[in-house]
Each structure stands twice: as C-alpha cells, then as structure tokens.
Amino acid sequence: MVTLLWMGVSLLLLAQVGGALRNCHPGCRCEVESFGLFDSFSLTRVDCSGLGLGEAARPVPIPLDTAHLDLSSNAIRSLSAALLSGPGYTTLVSLDLSYNLIGAADADAFSRLRYLETLDLSNNALESLRDGCFAGLPLTEVDLSGNRLAELRLAVFSAKGQGGRPLSVDASGNQLTAVTRGAGGGAPELQSLTLAGNRLSAVPDALRGTGLRYLNLDANPVAEFGEGAFAGLGELTHLSLAGLEELRAVRPGAFRGLPNLQVLDLSGAPRLTELDPEVFGGLGALQELNLSRSGVASLPESILSHLPSLRSVTLGADVHCWKTQRQGQFHRQLGQAKSDQVLTCNVAAPAAVVL
Ligand SMILES: *[C@@H]1O[C@H](CO)[C@@H](O)[C@H](O)[C@H]1NC(C)=O
C-alpha cells in the first residue's frame, strides 16, 4: 500500500517536473518540454544513449520537433551525413555524441544540422577533423575533450573555397551552402571550447580571431607558452590550463592581449617552477589565479602591480591568498587605492610562502 502510494506520488512528480513523455524509437526516451504563455512552445528532448547502435548506418528516427538528441555511449565508430539526417535532425540545437568510439567524421557529417549550437564529441577516438567539418554551423559550445587531436586546423570551421560553394544538396533538392560569417571566416559564434585531454602541443591557430570566452586546454602535452601565445583570443574570460604535466615555461607576455580574462587556472603543472612577474602583464581584469599543485611555490609581490583586479590566488597544496590592505596603513591609504595592497595567505608559517 505504502509502495503503491509512493509510486503514485513519484509518477505525479515526474509528470510535473519533467516534461510529458511521448512515444518514440524503442529504447529511446522522448520528453516534451513546454514553455511560454499557455505552453505555446514545446520542444522534445530525446535520449537514445547506451543503445549499442554500433555500426548502424541509418539514423535513429526522432520526432520532428526534437531540439536535443543524446546518442552517447553507443559504440558508434564513424560519422556520416547519412547517419545525421532525416526528419527531426535539421532542427537539432544540441547533439551529444560523447563516449562513443568515433575515429572519423566525414567532412559533411554535420552539414544537415544547420541550427546546431551545442556539440559534445568528448571521449572518442578522433585524431583529426576534416576541413569544413563545422563550416556554417552556428556552434556556440563544442566539447572535444578526451580525443587524440594533435592539431585543429582553421579550415575545420570554414568552407572550402569560400564564396558559398554548395557543400551538399538536401532531400528537396535545395543547395546547402556553407555561410561563412565574421572577418576571420572562423567560428564567429563559438563561445566555449573544451579541448582537454588531447595531444595538442600548442594553442591551435584555428582559434585566433574567434570570439571564444571559455577555453579549456587541460591535460595536453604543452611544454611552453611563448610571448603572445594567446594572441587573437581577446574575448576570453576563462582560461583553463590545468594538469599540463609537460609545461616547463610560461614566457613574459604569454597572456598579452587578454584584457577580459577573469579566471586563469594553471594548477597541476609540477615542472613549472618559476613565473616572472612580466608573465602577468596585460591581465588587467584577472580576478582568480590558480597555481595549486604546480611547481611554483611563491610569487613576487610585484605581480600585484600587473594584476589590479586580482582577488584570490591558490598556491601549493592548500594555500589560499586574498588581496588586502596593508594593516596600519588602511586609513591613511583610503582613497589611494592599490598603492598598499598585499596578498595575505592562510598559512600557519607565512614564511613558507614568500610573497
Ligand atoms: C585550483 O585547482 C585545483 C586543482 O586543479 C582544484 O582542485 C581547485 O578547486 C582550484 N581552486 C580554485 C579556487 O579554483
């Protein structure tokens, strides 16, 4: 009785919290989400993860108004336009292909997904991406982490032979042309890119000139960031460079040209032992710096003159530092911001960290 009651309550909750379920392909779960005044808008979220689609060459049938499709964990090995087309696919806004075995994607594999904004290709076996593969897609968020990419070419985001050459023809005979927007012809809409856990030894040139705000290059075999390493990425607000085990040097001026950067994660770089204050030149908006578990045990106090917006630094195993006014000078210095600020850390013996 209690169990029955509980099931009843759970079903009720499901109906209210999640959207309504509807019929769909066996093994998939299709959920309708309604919103707007009088639920006037609805979209369908389709979860076909873990079905073992494997070598299937035909697309999974999905409802016409599908916005989000999850095809993760399906042992899919390669991507083609034939696999990602058909009713429902053209209007997809997000596609999850993570945790498959994808080692290859045809240049036109995504060409039918003209409204695709979010693409998750993480944890696959991609060694490269074909030129033009993301061309003309309004992608804002791409996750390519956990692959085997050693480079990312500019042509990945732009159509071959610019000038709107047709890439393919859709079912009704309409030519699908790749529209190249933005001066660089790159990925003008791209805001977030995760490339963690690949084989990149440098910042890919393909990213320069994009409007990227979030970039993650964690756990790649980068040995050094030279002067201007992030040039052309002036819109970045978050830069994650954690777990760079090979990283030995960050040269002065490496972060030049990042006036909007707020968060910089350089944690977990054991071979990085020194950072010249000039490394931080140009980071006028930086608020958070993470150097925990890196070889850098101390920072010269002069970094503060380069980092006027800095609020917190993490160092060593568990040392947190905050910017404060030097004691005793506080009143006298009111109105004279910055001149007497120091970093104060939560260490028992402050001498352990020379700031
Ligand atoms: C700094 O990095 C470490 C290791 O990557 C992480 O555990 C920690 O949460 C980070 N700290 C902050 C303040 O972001």
Side-chain angles (χ1 to χ4, degrees), residues 159 161-167 177-180:
Q162 306 213 346
R165 231 172 56 187
L167 280 186
T177 40
V179 186
T180 353

Side-chain angles (χ1 to χ4, degrees), residues 8-9 11 45 47 64 119 123-124 136 138 145-146 171 176 183 199 230 247 254-255 270 277 326:
V9 170
L11 280 176
R45 187 178 289 277
D47 178 359
L64 265 178
L119 176 61
N123 299 296
N124 277 289
S145 57
L176 301 179
R199 295 178 181 169
F230 296 92
L247 187 66
F255 302 114
R326 202 185 288 280

